[in-house]
């Protein structure tokens, strides 16, 4: 009978029976009892009460029983550390057992027990096992070093385990080498200090390449990943490594193949692009990638996501392999969509006819999502290959004639883009498009059709009637459609003003008076004012010539693409996101492709280079950010005081003093006098800044300075300070006071490792020498690129200050809110999804007492400190604020603030995947609301 019998029992009160069996004298009975305990533990029963009894079973020669007891120990040692310490002697003894399996088992189990007390006893056995005569023990010990480093990094570095690990790279057994490489990679991911000890060199890489041929497949993956992180000295070394890695492309395991592809892709950057080596490598990369597409669908999908990156970086690798990306009838939808994307990337003038024929077939499939994507792909082909645009438009018209609703709608969306790319070329098809107006029910298709009618209104006789038909249900339309309809009718009015006045007045009225959407209202008011003040200017703005759309709108940004190429064969290459975007709370090292032979750095590294001579920047369409910047730079308050004075000086003496336009004084005495200000000139907001607070950054809460280092501890140096945040940067505001009898000079400052990696961004610059009884203040900019170590409490910063008298140490608490970043605002949908995803047990609730604010002022106060209100609603008379914030290390926190009008006690609920930060966040809310 198999061991499944242990999982079928449903008896109650069996703990006492097991206890008796575990203490039995019969070895067989004891083993059976331990198996039952492990079975109960596996299905989720709490058997921690048997801890001492199970530990007593450790002293046995039976390997199977020992494995079971060790498994139990790994699971429960953390909850029972005091009892677990009893087992240490057995572990130490087992590490010297004649049987290598028991030695390896003992050291592996000790590494898995994350209890500090046991960790101290692990060092000596681990040191012996790293030099054990048996390779199985050595390879197990190598992995154990990485586990120990995760528990106590400082201990590993102090005890010299990093050097021992590096020595294992020269081991005669390839599996030991592979495990040593895996351990080193893991340590380097989490530690900056280990970089110098574990740095790879040419000799090490040679040893790894030698071991590569004899390793298991996963050992090969570890070694290839490690080689990919090495930067060769010159192109000769890169070429040599590529030659030795190339045979791995023929491996049966997909992970080995992709890891080899990653190494070659990275090293090709170093080689001369025109060299024979690169040409040969490009040819060799194609067959293995094609072979991956004959594997299971899941492996195909991972391969396709990686191929998508590879063809964006080097399209020539697969330029002749278009046919392998043609969709099969039995492909899962996720494989079909990915193949379609790669087909478009590989499309060129030579294969467009073949691709179009395929896409037309796909558009007749039954899977709606796939059909939509196929129709869009035809449009992308038209935009990418100009010579084939006419044929693509013809294919789209054929599809419109099928009258299949979703096909027609997708076709109209892509035709709009074709019109943007090739203006005044294919407008003859507009009549065909207008025939299908009644069938459009999707917002994007309706918006596209409205754009076409507005853009070519002068060519469509009944354009006003068509737009009027959309206007009838204006309030029920999607925002995208409403905005497009507003713009289209204004375009129509500017092209045919005589017969469309009533229509434009109707749409402006609907947009500005009957709508509660701020985007729509704002656009309506802008158009209204443009049309009423200067129709000629309106015509120039609204009917301006539009820039042509680019060929590939969905290409990954070059810097990100280079980083993702370095992460081929990992989750990052499947998500198409860098690791730090989905590995929360762990700052991963950003990777980039090495420099090529000409010394040219990849995009993104140029910032570190010496400043080049200014060059003429090409004209580009401004992004949203720069447009907002332009609007904020506008002088809304009329002329500045200086300009007003100049105007007054230029006026003839007899002329009455006119009010400057844009700053009309409706209150007689002027806004400044009303608010108690002097009779000075207006500021750049026409005096309004007095109402909203003089400048935005002064409303950020900066705690008062406190004494961090008293004079009696600093040998006469007294140091007071606080933390502030300005212009997206954290500052340490310091005041140095010399209370000694001699001048002080040679000041310097250093931070210890801390929870958020805070460190000075520049050297301390302070008046030197600082005479006796004098003070000097300095703002020290900080960044978060230092070494990270969890502190208790989290916000503790340990600092060393040095001067000519000595070195002084102090610790202070950084207010959590200075770590709140300006990019913490979430979209409503994302907020809701995140709130649901975070488990309910992660929610922490507290009360903030004696707050004299209402919901609006609370929201504004918190927003000034980078806590963003996502939504506000009233439930049974209570105001509920839903808020989000982000820390410098990427951790997100969601908050719900309940405010009872008339009450001064608020209830704060916090949710985060990292619960440790919640107490500090509560403190931050309390500090902000009471300042």
């Amino acid at each position: 009978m198999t061991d499944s019998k242990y999982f079928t029992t449903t008896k109650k009160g069996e703990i006492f029976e097991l206890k008796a069996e575990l203490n039995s004298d019969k070895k067989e009975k004891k083993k059976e009892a331990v198996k039952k305990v492990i079975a109960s533990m596996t299905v989720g029963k709490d058997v921690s009460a048997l801890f001492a009894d199970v530990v007593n079973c450790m002293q046995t020669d039976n390997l199977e029983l020992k494995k079971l007891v060790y498994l139990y120990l790994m699971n429960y040692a953390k909850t029972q550390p005091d009892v677990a310490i009893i087992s240490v002697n057995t572990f130490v003894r087992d590490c010297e057992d004649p049987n290598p399996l028991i030695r390896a088992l003992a050291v592996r189990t000790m590494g898995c027990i994350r209890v500090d007390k046991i960790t101290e006893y692990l060092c000596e056995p681990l040191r012996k096992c790293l030099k054990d005569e048996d390779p199985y023990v050595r390879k197990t010990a190598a992995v154990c070093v990485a586990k120990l480093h995760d528990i106590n990094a400082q201990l590993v570095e102090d005890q010299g385990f990093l050097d021992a690990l590096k020595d294992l790279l020269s081991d005669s057994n390839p599996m030991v080498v592979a495990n040593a490489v895996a351990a080193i990679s893991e340590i380097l991911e989490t530690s900056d200090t280990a970089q110098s000890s574990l740095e790879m060199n040419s000799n090490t890489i040679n040893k790894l390449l030698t071991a590569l041929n004899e390793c298991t497949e996963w050992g090969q993956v570890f070694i290839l990943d490690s080689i990919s992180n090495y930067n060769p000295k010159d192109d000769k070394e890169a070429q040599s490594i590529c030659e030795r890695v190339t045979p791995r492309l023929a491996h049966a395991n997909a992970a080995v193949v992709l890891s080899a592809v990653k190494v070659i892709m990275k090293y090709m950057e170093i080689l001369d692009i025109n060299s024979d080596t690169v040409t040969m490598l490009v040819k060799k990369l194609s067959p293995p990638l094609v072979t991956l597409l004959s594997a299971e669908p899941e492996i195909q999908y991972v391969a396709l996501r990686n191929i998508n990156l590879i063809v964006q970086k080097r399209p020539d690798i697969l330029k002749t392999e278009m046919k392998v990306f043609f969709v099969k009838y039995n492909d899962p939808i996720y494989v079909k969509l990915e193949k379609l994307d790669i087909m478009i990337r590989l499309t060129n003038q030579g294969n467009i006819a073949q691709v179009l024929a395929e896409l037309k077939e796909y558009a007749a499939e039954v899977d709606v999502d796939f059909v939509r994507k196929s129709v869009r792909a035809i449009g992308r082909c038209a935009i990418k290959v100009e010579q084939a645009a006419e044929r693509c438009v013809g294919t789209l018209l054929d599809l419109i004639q099928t009258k299949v609703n979703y096909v027609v709608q997708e076709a109209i969306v892509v035709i709009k883009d074709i019109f943007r790319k090739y203006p005044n070329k294919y407008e003859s098809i507009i009549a065909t498009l207008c025939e299908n107006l009644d069938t459009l029910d999707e917002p994007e298709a309706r918006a596209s059709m409205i754009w076409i009618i507005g853009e070519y209104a002068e060519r469509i006789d009944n354009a006003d009637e068509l737009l009027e038909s959309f206007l009838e249900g204006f309030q029920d339309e999607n925002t995208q459609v409403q905005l497009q309809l507003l713009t289209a009718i204004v375009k129509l009015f500017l092209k045919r003003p005589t017969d469309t006045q009533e229509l434009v007045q109707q749409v402006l009225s609907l947009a500005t008076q009957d709508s509660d959407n701020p985007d729509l209202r704002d656009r309506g008011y802008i158009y209204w004012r443009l049309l009423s003040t200067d129709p000629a200017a309106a015509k120039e703005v609204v009917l301006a010539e539009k820039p042509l759309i680019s060929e590939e709108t969905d290409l990954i940004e070059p810097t990100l693409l280079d980083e993702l190429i370095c992460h081929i064969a990992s989750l990052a290459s499947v998500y198409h996101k860098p690791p730090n975007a989905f590995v929360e709370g762990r700052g991963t090292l950003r990777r980039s492709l090495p420099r090529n032979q000409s010394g040219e750095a990849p995009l993104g590294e140029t910032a570190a280079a010496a400043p080049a001579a200014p060059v003429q920047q090409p004209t580009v369409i401004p992004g949203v950010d720069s447009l907002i910047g332009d609007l904020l730079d506008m002088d809304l308050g009329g002329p500045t005081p200086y300009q007003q004075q100049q105007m007054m000086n230029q006026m003839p003496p007899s002329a009455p003093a006119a009010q400057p336009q844009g700053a009309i004084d409706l209150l007689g005495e002027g806004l400044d006098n009303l608010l108690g200000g002097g009779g000075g000139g207006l500021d750049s907001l026409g005096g309004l800044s007095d109402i909203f607070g003089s400048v935005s950054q002064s409303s950020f809460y900066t705690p008062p300075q406190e004494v961090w280092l008293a004079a009696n501890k600093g040998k006469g140096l007294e140091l007071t300070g606080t933390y502030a945040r300005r212009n997206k940067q954290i500052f340490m505001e310091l005041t140095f006071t010399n209370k000694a009898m001699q001048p002080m000079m040679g000041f310097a400052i250093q931070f210890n490792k801390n929870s958020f990696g805070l460190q000075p961004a520049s050297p301390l610059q302070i008046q030197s020498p600082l005479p006796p009884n004098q003070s000097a203040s300095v703002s020290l900019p900080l960044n978060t690129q230092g070494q990270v170590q969890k502190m208790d409490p989290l916000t503790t910063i340990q600092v060393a200050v040095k001067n000519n008298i000595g070195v002084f140490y102090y610790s202070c608490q950084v207010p959590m809110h200075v770590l709140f970043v300006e990019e913490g605002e979430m979209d409503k949908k994302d907020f809701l999804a995140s709130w649901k995803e975070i488990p309910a047990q992660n929610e922490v609730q507290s009360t903030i007492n004696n707050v004299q604010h209402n919901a609006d002022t609370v929201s504004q106060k918190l927003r000034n400190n980078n806590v963003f209100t996502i939504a506000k609603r009233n439930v049974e008379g209570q105001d509920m604020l839903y808020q989000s914030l982000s820390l410098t290390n990427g951790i997100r926190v969601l908050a719900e603030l309940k405010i009872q009008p008339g009450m001064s006690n608020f209830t704060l609920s916090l949710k985060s995947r990292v619960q440790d930060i919640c107490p500090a966040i509560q403190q931050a809310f309390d500090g902000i609301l009471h300042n």
Side-chain angles (χ1 to χ4, degrees):
M1 192 173 174
T2 64
D3 286 348
S4 61
K5 63 183 178 183
Y6 299 111
F7 294 91
T8 56
T9 178
T10 55
K11 278 199 300 183
K12 291 185 178 178
E14 60 183 338
I15 294 285
F16 299 106
E17 291 176 25
L18 288 170
K19 200 176 184 77
E21 287 177 25
L22 286 167
N23 293 309
S24 167
D25 295 332
K26 295 178 182 174
K27 287 185 179 178
E28 204 54 45
K29 205 167 186 181
K30 200 180 268 193
K31 189 163 86 173
E32 290 292 305
V34 175
K35 282 187 178 181
K36 287 176 187 173
V37 170
I38 298 295
S40 299
M41 182 180 85
T42 308
V43 295
K45 288 183 187 173
D46 183 13
V47 283
S48 56
L50 298 168
F51 193 89
D53 304 288
V54 176
V55 168
N56 286 336
C57 299
M58 277 179 80
Q59 317 234 359
T60 176
D61 297 331
N62 187 309
L63 184 60
E64 187 183 2
L65 179 56
K66 204 176 270 287
K67 279 183 180 177
L68 292 169
V69 175
Y70 280 0
L71 188 62
Y72 177 89
L73 262 173
M74 279 189 256
N75 202 40
Y76 283 114
K78 201 167 186 181
T79 57
Q80 311 245 7
D82 296 329
V83 189
I85 202 79
I86 303 166
S87 60
V88 165
N89 284 334
T90 312
F91 279 129
V92 173
R93 197 162 54 249
D94 282 355
C95 285
E96 295 178 0
D97 194 277
N99 186 339
L101 291 176
I102 290 179
R103 295 202 299 274
L105 183 63
V107 79
R108 185 179 74 192
T109 309
M110 283 180 87
C112 291
I113 296 175
R114 303 176 69 84
V115 175
D116 291 336
K117 292 178 182 175
I118 290 182
T119 306
E120 295 165 19
Y121 295 96
L122 174 60
C123 294
E124 273 316 304
L126 180 58
R127 191 174 280 110
K128 286 179 185 172
C129 288
L130 283 166
K131 294 179 179 173
D132 197 280
E133 59 187 21
D134 192 280
Y136 181 75
V137 180
R138 294 199 300 276
K139 85 179 182 73
T140 308
V143 176
C144 191
V145 173
K147 288 178 180 173
L148 182 59
H149 187 275
D150 194 36
I151 301 166
N152 190 338
Q154 197 60 49
L155 182 71
V156 170
E157 291 170 25
D158 294 344
Q159 293 282 340
F161 285 130
L162 295 182
D163 293 329
L165 201 56
K166 198 168 181 186
D167 291 342
L168 288 184
L169 294 176
S170 309
D171 199 278
S172 57
N173 187 292
M175 272 317 298
V176 177
V177 176
N179 278 22
V181 166
I184 286 171
S185 301
E186 184 68 28
I187 291 169
L188 289 175
E189 282 284 327
T190 55
S191 170
D192 296 330
T193 52
Q195 191 77 39
S196 54
S197 312
L198 299 175
E199 199 171 1
M200 296 283 179
N201 55 36
S202 302
N203 292 336
T204 316
I205 292 294
N206 271 328
K207 289 169 188 168
L208 296 187
L209 287 164
T210 306
L212 192 61
N213 299 321
E214 301 167 47
C215 278
T216 65
E217 49 201 19
W218 295 113
Q220 292 182 36
V221 169
F222 287 132
I223 289 175
L224 288 167
D225 284 351
S226 187
I227 291 170
S228 75
N229 294 330
Y230 170 69
N231 284 332
K233 298 192 299 288
D234 51 34
D235 62 338
K236 194 173 179 183
E237 187 183 7
Q239 192 174 328
S240 165
I241 293 171
C242 285
E243 282 171 9
R244 294 176 72 177
V245 167
T246 306
R248 299 299 106 207
L249 294 172
H251 201 282
N253 186 300
V256 176
V257 174
L258 283 175
S259 295
V261 168
K262 170 166 65 179
V263 174
I264 294 168
M265 283 292 292
K266 203 170 172 187
Y267 284 11
M268 277 163 72
E269 292 297 305
I270 298 169
L271 303 171
D272 180 7
I273 197 165
N274 299 315
S275 68
D276 294 340
T277 311
V278 169
T279 311
M280 179 197 71
L281 289 172
V282 165
K283 282 180 185 171
K284 284 188 176 179
L285 280 176
S286 178
L289 292 173
V290 170
T291 306
L292 288 176
L293 299 183
S294 55
E296 298 84 3
E298 292 79 9
I299 292 177
Q300 273 190 61
Y301 179 70
V302 172
L304 287 165
R305 292 294 281 173
N306 282 275
I307 288 168
N308 202 327
L309 296 174
I310 291 164
V311 296
Q312 286 184 58
K313 185 70 185 169
R314 291 186 178 271
D316 48 338
I317 290 175
L318 289 161
K319 65 183 178 187
T320 59
E321 302 291 346
M322 175 64 85
K323 279 191 177 176
V324 298
F325 298 105
F326 285 173
V327 171
K328 297 174 186 166
Y329 75 96
N330 58 347
D331 280 340
I333 183 64
Y334 53 88
V335 171
K336 285 180 176 177
L337 295 178
E338 204 56 40
K339 280 185 173 179
L340 205 52
D341 206 28
I342 295 168
M343 277 171 65
I344 305 308
R345 297 205 192 286
L346 295 174
T347 300
N348 55 39
Q349 201 177 338
N351 57 25
I352 185 72
Q354 204 178 14
V355 172
L356 269 182
E358 276 289 310
L359 292 176
K360 196 170 179 182
E361 269 187 51
Y362 299 162
E365 289 268 348
V366 289
D367 192 311
V368 176
D369 284 341
F370 181 54
V371 171
R372 286 176 181 279
K373 187 104 183 225
S374 303
V375 175
R376 290 218 173 190
I378 295 170
R380 281 174 64 186
C381 287
I383 290 165
K384 188 174 181 185
V385 185
E386 188 173 349
Q387 296 83 346
E390 197 162 337
R391 190 186 292 178
C392 293
V393 170
T395 306
L396 288 169
L397 285 176
D398 291 344
L399 292 172
I400 288 173
Q401 298 306 332
T402 63
K403 301 293 182 187
V404 178
N405 188 268
Y406 54 86
V407 174
V408 172
Q409 306 208 61
E410 284 298 328
I412 285 172
V413 172
V414 296
I415 286 171
K416 180 204 72 170
D417 289 339
I418 292 170
F419 283 172
R420 283 285 308 273
K421 177 72 177 174
Y422 309 111
N424 304 317
K425 201 166 181 185
Y426 300 110
E427 283 71 29
S428 55
I429 68 169
I430 291 174
T432 312
L433 302 182
C434 290
E435 290 169 14
N436 297 281
L437 211 55
D438 299 334
T439 62
L440 306 181
D441 54 15
E442 290 171 15
E444 197 177 1
R446 288 171 77 82
S448 298
M449 193 66 226
I450 290 166
W451 181 87
I452 291 169
I453 297 169
E455 190 66 18
Y456 299 101
E458 70 278 12
R459 303 184 188 197
I460 306 170
D461 297 334
N462 61 337
D464 51 344
E465 292 171 21
L466 296 175
L467 292 176
E468 198 169 1
S469 67
F470 284 105
L471 205 56
E472 288 162 9
F474 186 80
Q475 300 294 5
D476 303 323
E477 294 284 7
N478 181 283
T479 305
Q480 182 184 5
V481 179
Q482 290 177 334
L483 288 165
Q484 203 58 262
L485 190 54
L486 172 62
T487 303
I489 290 175
V490 170
K491 283 181 185 174
L492 176 65
F493 172 72
L494 291 167
K495 290 174 181 178
R496 289 162 44 185
T498 49
D499 54 345
T500 53
Q501 280 188 20
E502 197 177 318
L503 189 62
V504 81
Q505 282 177 347
Q506 190 183 348
V507 76
L508 289 173
S509 174
L510 284 167
T512 55
Q513 292 168 28
D514 301 346
S515 171
D516 57 358
N517 183 305
D519 289 339
L520 185 62
R521 237 183 9 244
D522 289 353
R523 191 182 290 191
Y525 279 126
I526 288 171
Y527 285 153
W528 199 320
R529 284 168 190 164
L530 266 174
L531 293 169
S532 57
T533 54
D534 191 348
K539 204 164 189 173
E540 280 183 40
V541 171
V542 180
L543 301 180
E545 192 176 330
K546 290 158 195 65
L548 303 180
I549 60 173
S550 66
E551 289 179 9
E552 291 280 7
T553 52
D554 59 341
L555 285 175
I556 294 173
E557 189 266 323
T559 317
L560 174 59
L561 180 60
D562 284 355
E563 186 177 353
L564 293 177
I565 292 290
C566 298
H567 290 290
I568 283 176
S570 74
L571 264 183
S573 67
V574 178
Y575 288 156
H576 287 189
K577 291 178 181 177
N580 58 352
F582 56 88
V583 181
E584 196 174 86
R586 178 170 163 181
T588 48
L589 193 68
R590 300 298 289 265
R591 294 179 188 170
S592 59
L593 291 175
R595 294 171 183 274
N596 61 21
Q597 193 186 34
S598 60
E600 186 182 327
L603 189 66
E605 286 185 14
T606 48
V615 292
Q616 182 65 38
Q617 291 296 320
T619 307
V620 293
I621 308 169
V624 175
D625 293 346
S626 60
L627 289 174
I628 290 170
D630 291 344
L631 288 173
L632 293 175
D633 290 340
M634 285 171 65
D635 184 5
L636 301 175
T640 63
Y642 173 76
Q643 289 169 328
Q644 289 180 37
Q645 189 61 46
Q646 291 294 98
M647 287 160 66
M648 294 291 282
N649 292 343
Q650 289 167 12
M651 285 175 68
S654 57
Q659 279 287 358
Q661 190 181 356
I664 301 166
D665 190 357
L666 299 173
L667 297 168
E669 287 295 312
L671 199 55
D672 283 350
N673 290 342
L674 184 70
L675 292 163
L682 294 168
D683 59 26
S684 63
L685 287 173
L688 289 176
S689 67
D690 292 332
I691 297 173
F692 298 117
S694 55
V695 281
S696 60
Q697 58 204 31
S698 67
S699 54
F700 190 94
Y701 169 48
T702 302
Q705 288 203 357
E706 56 190 55
V707 177
W708 284 343
L709 181 68
N712 58 350
K713 292 186 178 177
K715 295 184 180 177
L717 172 66
E718 184 186 85
L719 184 59
T720 62
T722 185
Y723 290 87
R725 189 178 184 92
R726 297 189 295 274
N727 302 326
K728 299 190 177 184
Q729 181 151 27
I730 303 167
F731 290 84
M732 188 187 241
E733 306 288 353
L734 296 162
T735 301
F736 292 76
T737 305
N738 183 359
K739 293 190 175 179
M741 303 298 290
Q742 65 185 87
M744 292 181 178
M745 61 194 80
F747 287 93
I749 193 164
Q750 190 172 345
F751 286 22
N752 199 357
K753 296 176 186 173
N754 53 74
S755 306
F756 297 92
L758 282 172
Q759 65 174 16
S762 62
L764 184 65
Q765 293 180 339
I766 190 169
Q767 171 192 338
S768 186
L770 182 62
N773 298 317
Q774 293 279 322
S775 294
S777 296
V778 64
S779 281
L780 179 68
L782 309 179
N783 62 35
T784 53
Q785 292 161 15
Q787 294 176 30
V788 175
Q789 178 177 302
K790 188 177 174 184
M791 305 297 287
D792 188 18
L794 271 182
T795 52
T796 303
I797 308 289
Q798 295 172 339
V799 185
V801 173
K802 176 191 162 199
N803 63 13
N804 58 319
I805 296 171
V807 180
F808 311 104
Y809 302 91
Y810 68 89
S811 69
C812 57
Q813 303 299 318
V814 58
M816 183 62 90
H817 72 282
V818 304
L819 299 161
F820 298 173
V821 296
E822 287 71 12
E823 295 77 22
E825 191 165 6
M826 293 176 77
D827 179 71
K828 279 187 185 178
K829 286 180 185 173
D830 293 346
F831 180 94
L832 192 61
S834 299
W835 187 276
K836 287 177 182 173
E837 280 171 17
I838 298 171
Q841 61 264 32
N842 281 30
E843 187 168 345
V844 180
Q845 205 168 73
S846 63
T847 304
I848 303 175
N849 298 314
N850 197 25
V851 182
Q852 306 301 325
H853 296 291
N854 61 25
D856 291 334
T857 54
V858 163
S859 180
Q860 186 57 48
K861 222 174 215 309
L862 290 168
R863 189 178 191 86
N864 291 341
N865 291 274
N866 297 333
V867 179
F868 300 92
T869 300
I870 308 302
K872 175 188 170 186
R873 62 192 179 109
N874 192 286
V875 181
E876 297 175 352
Q878 271 192 334
D879 285 325
M880 314 278 277
L881 298 180
Y882 296 93
Q883 297 168 318
S884 73
L885 61 95
S886 240
L887 299 179
T888 50
N889 57 6
I891 294 175
R892 276 201 184 282
V893 182
L894 312 182
E896 180 193 70
L897 199 56
K898 292 180 189 170
I899 301 171
Q900 182 79 46
M903 301 285 285
S904 61
N905 295 347
F906 298 171
T907 305
L908 174 67
S909 301
L910 297 175
K911 260 191 167 190
S912 176
R913 296 184 195 282
V914 185
Q915 282 181 283
D916 295 357
I917 59 165
C918 289
I921 302 287
Q922 288 166 345
Q923 260 182 329
F925 270 71
D926 198 88
I928 293 166
L929 295 177
H930 283 111
N931 80 74

